[in-house]
Amino acid sequence: MHTRESFAGEIRESHSSPEATESGIGGGHLVGRVGPLDLLFFLLTSASLVVLCLVRSRTRLMWSDELLGYGVLTAPSLRDTLAGWYQGADGGGIFFYLFGRIWMEVFHPSALSVRLYSTFSFIGSIGLIWWVARRFYAFAPVAIGVFFVYLTPDVVMWQEVNGRFYGFFMFAAALAVTMTLLTAEKDRLTTVELIGTAAAHALLIGSHILGLVYSASLIVALAVLDLSRRRIRWKLYASALGGWIMLPISAHAILASTSIAEKTFWTTKPRLIDLTYGATLFDQWMIHQLLFAIALFNVGYLMRGRADGHPTGTGFTKSYHPAVFTVVGAIFLAEVVLFAKSRFGISVFADRYLLPIGLALVLLIAEGLSPFFRDSFFAKRSSAWRSAAVAAILLVAFSSRSIRKIPYDFVYPRVGYPERLLNHLPPEKTIVVTFMPTFLLLRAYDPTHHYVYLLDRTYDRSPRASMEDHSLQHLMENWKNAGLAKDDILSFEDILSADNNFTLLTDPSRDIWLKDRLSEPSLSLQPVTSYDEWFQVKVWTVQRRDSHAARQ
């Protein structure tokens, strides 16, 4: 995040683009100069995200993925939190949990607090990409690009209010992109820039396992750019690779996290067309916007070329920004790598893992729009209010749409869900649960029962269940290994030996298991009721018969 002074300060470095030499006004709406307009609309955009988070949290409980991270972040001690990270109890990077512990200490653990942690991580990424993009583009194109990306795609709006580690991942990616843009064109780098590059790549890798892919792509893109310039900057490459010290540090946590997908996972293998969808974050609006930006890109360079005295519009080499296209190329290279990996192994080609593409889209949209805000009534010294008016109209439109739409409404259980389910459960009795989301939710919101998660890894590894997705069960095994709720995560055999009479909650994925494991003559299985308001839950009473009755 930037201070008011740094946000309003003038960037004095020269740029290859001719716009950078234009004099700005107090509003700082021209290229290379940030000012009050930028600060104002950055704050308004940030306020929109905070309002979206507050609206979202008002009537919604935490869902299972949030509860996973919340359990690690709010573990009794920092040592327990690090154990959860080390054993792959949630799947995030170490820096997410370290900074999250500090956040929780300052703002008190709660559902709203963990969601605002994600919201402000996204706000941090907005601040970084806005600030660095303004080195190349005027105020209006950058503002419009930010509005499109951060207030349009469902996946972005969802993660902005979701208490997960993807907001921190986006912030780390924005920092790495910022350092790449700052260093791409420089022949001589300062010590601060080298240290900043190392720190940015370390943060990216330490925020999420797939940070490795984005970090490697940025390094490769820089090397390709340098080869095209016939130069080699060993110090820069070494600095970026220095951030990879996080790889051996995180190796065990990475292996523990990836091991939950032994043979199957919730993701699906992508199709070739998904490369296009992924490039727009799987959002139809963004597909149209990207096509629009490409059209503007081509028309814009024709306009630039003719404005610079090239009647056929061949002013491309004079106008384009190599640093920007280096970053854009690196991010889309990462998408291709993730696509290829997903075609030949467990798929990781999912919208949340492609979020850094949003940073490339901000730059592409700004690039496509910039010719229309140059040498026109938007670029005159007295026209800052025109740019502000356009930005204000779009911000209101996108913000109202995002707050009204509230994407993924079905994901969160509504307030009151546990109470309605509890009406179907016997009071003051141990409840054994086979479905992780139900276990985490009831354990967090119902203090009147003792909930136990049934872990049956012996059955899950058997041929009978070999083709099913057991990633959730494996995740609970990681929880137990980390010491999180270890007394409430028990094997099937331990549960039967500890209690002769208990209530069992099952989900549809355990229907076959139910027949295989509870059909013994020594066990009595009686249906009580079913409940399907959020998850499909079946309630049973399990009782062990005495040995005499079993023989009969």
Side-chain angles (χ1 to χ4, degrees):
M1 299 293 291
H2 300 276
T3 63
R4 186 184 185 93
E5 291 76 19
S6 64
F7 225 117
E10 178 180 357
I11 301 174
R12 296 181 175 82
E13 291 192 7
S14 62
H15 302 276
S16 58
S17 172
E19 294 105 324
T21 61
E22 297 181 31
S23 58
I25 63 172
H29 68 297
L30 299 182
V31 175
R33 184 186 296 268
V34 293
L37 268 184
D38 297 276
L39 179 61
L40 172 62
F41 278 89
F42 166 72
L43 293 176
L44 289 175
T45 307
S46 303
S48 297
L49 299 191
V50 172
V51 170
L52 180 63
C53 184
L54 294 175
V55 171
R56 196 67 173 104
S57 298
R58 185 172 59 88
T59 60
R60 297 289 168 167
L61 306 175
M62 285 190 285
W63 69 297
S64 56
D65 282 18
E66 286 182 315
L67 289 167
L68 284 171
Y70 187 79
V72 177
L73 286 171
T74 59
S77 68
L78 176 60
R79 182 176 180 179
D80 294 323
T81 292
L82 293 177
W85 159 75
Y86 186 75
Q87 296 292 345
D90 183 35
I94 185 173
F95 290 123
F96 169 76
Y97 301 111
L98 290 178
F99 287 104
R101 288 284 301 198
I102 298 173
W103 179 274
M104 292 296 181
E105 289 291 333
V106 174
F107 296 104
H108 184 70
S110 68
L112 179 59
S113 179
V114 73
R115 289 169 184 165
L116 285 174
Y117 179 35
S118 181
T119 300
F120 277 93
S121 295
F122 269 99
I123 289 172
S125 74
I126 292 175
L128 287 171
I129 195 64
W130 193 312
W131 175 75
V132 77
R134 287 286 279 111
R135 299 174 66 90
F136 305 95
Y137 308 109
F139 161 77
V142 172
I144 293 171
V146 168
F147 299 160
F148 270 128
V149 169
Y150 284 88
L151 293 173
T152 298
D154 283 349
V155 61
V156 177
M157 290 191 294
W158 163 227
Q159 296 299 339
E160 282 166 349
V161 300
N162 187 21
R164 298 295 287 143
F165 40 71
Y166 301 107
F168 193 85
F169 179 40
M170 190 69 161
F171 171 76
L175 182 60
V177 163
T178 297
M179 292 309 303
T180 303
L181 288 171
L182 293 178
T183 58
E185 293 289 344
K186 290 189 174 182
D187 292 321
R188 303 184 66 180
L189 300 170
T190 66
T191 302
V192 172
E193 288 169 332
L194 293 174
I195 293 175
T197 297
H201 283 265
L203 189 70
L204 180 55
I205 295 169
S207 66
H208 192 275
I209 177 178
L210 296 183
L212 289 165
V213 178
Y214 291 97
S215 172
S217 297
L218 288 170
I219 296 171
V220 169
L222 278 174
V224 171
L225 176 66
D226 285 352
L227 286 176
S228 70
R229 299 292 178 85
R230 297 182 179 180
R231 66 182 180 185
I232 298 178
R233 294 180 292 174
W234 293 113
K235 289 184 179 180
L236 179 60
Y237 314 145
S239 177
L241 288 171
W244 282 56
I245 186 64
M246 294 307 303
L247 180 56
I249 292 174
S250 305
H252 187 279
I254 291 173
L255 291 175
S257 296
T258 56
S259 66
I260 68 170
E262 294 173 309
K263 297 180 180 179
T264 58
F265 198 44
W266 62 268
T267 53
T268 58
K269 288 188 181 299
R271 305 161 298 167
L272 187 60
I273 190 64
D274 288 331
L275 275 172
T276 301
Y277 296 147
T280 54
L281 299 177
F282 296 94
D283 190 278
Q284 290 185 354
W285 276 61
M286 291 301 295
I287 292 174
H288 300 154
Q289 289 155 207
L290 181 60
L291 293 175
F292 182 60
I294 292 172
L296 291 180
F297 179 85
N298 288 282
V299 173
Y301 278 115
L302 288 173
M303 293 173 57
R304 283 188 179 186
R306 290 173 179 173
D308 293 335
H310 302 277
T312 59
T314 56
F316 179 83
T317 57
K318 183 177 180 181
S319 302
Y320 90 112
H321 304 290
V324 170
F325 284 90
T326 297
V327 165
V328 171
I331 293 176
F332 286 117
L333 172 62
E335 182 198 5
V336 172
V337 171
L338 294 177
F339 175 85
K341 190 272 177 197
S342 300
R343 287 293 300 172
F344 300 102
I346 296 296
S347 177
V348 292
F349 201 80
D351 53 11
R352 66 195 70 177
Y353 305 138
L354 300 176
L355 279 171
I357 287 177
L359 302 172
L361 293 178
V362 171
L363 297 172
L364 280 178
I365 292 171
E367 179 71 34
L369 288 174
S370 61
F372 298 91
F373 291 89
R374 174 178 179 256
D375 296 331
S376 65
F377 79 2
F378 286 103
K380 297 175 182 177
R381 293 177 59 86
S382 60
S383 65
W385 67 270
R386 296 188 180 105
S387 296
V390 170
I393 292 171
L394 290 174
L395 178 59
V396 170
F398 284 116
S399 297
S400 60
R401 173 184 178 272
S402 61
I403 292 173
R404 183 183 69 255
K405 186 176 181 182
I406 308 182
Y408 291 87
D409 191 68
F410 62 86
V411 173
Y412 287 129
R414 291 182 179 274
V415 169
Y417 165 79
E419 289 78 5
R420 290 189 291 274
L421 177 57
L422 293 181
N423 293 332
H424 298 269
L425 302 180
E428 299 180 359
K429 193 174 183 179
T430 297
I431 310 294
V432 178
V433 187
T434 65
F435 192 41
M436 183 205 75
T438 304
F439 167 71
L440 292 177
L441 182 73
L442 294 178
R443 183 173 176 268
Y445 288 104
D446 175 26
T448 64
H449 293 84
H450 175 216
Y451 290 95
V452 173
Y453 182 80
L454 189 152
L455 191 66
D456 197 352
R457 298 296 288 154
T458 302
Y459 180 85
D460 295 340
R461 294 187 176 100
S462 67
R464 176 77 167 167
S466 61
M467 297 307 295
E468 297 179 18
D469 177 13
H470 299 297
S471 56
L472 298 184
Q473 289 88 338
H474 201 155
L475 197 54
M476 285 290 92
E477 186 176 38
N478 288 355
W479 262 54
K480 187 175 180 67
N481 293 338
L484 301 173
K486 60 180 180 180
D487 296 332
D488 297 333
I489 302 174
L490 301 178
S491 69
F492 176 69
E493 292 76 16
D494 288 341
I495 290 174
L496 289 181
S497 62
D499 201 336
N500 291 328
N501 187 356
F502 57 87
T503 298
L504 177 67
L505 303 186
T506 64
D507 64 285
S509 70
R510 283 303 196 185
D511 285 347
I512 298 177
W513 171 90
L514 197 67
K515 297 177 182 177
D516 290 348
R517 294 294 255 170
L518 297 181
S519 59
E520 301 177 15
S522 62
L523 296 176
S524 171
L525 179 66
Q526 297 295 327
V528 177
T529 187
S530 61
Y531 187 81
D532 58 1
E533 179 181 330
W534 187 41
F535 291 126
Q536 291 183 4
V537 177
K538 294 181 180 179
V539 184
W540 311 80
T541 295
V542 180
Q543 187 172 6
R544 181 183 291 277
R545 298 188 178 100
D546 58 41
S547 58
H548 176 71
R551 285 193 300 270
Q552 289 182 338

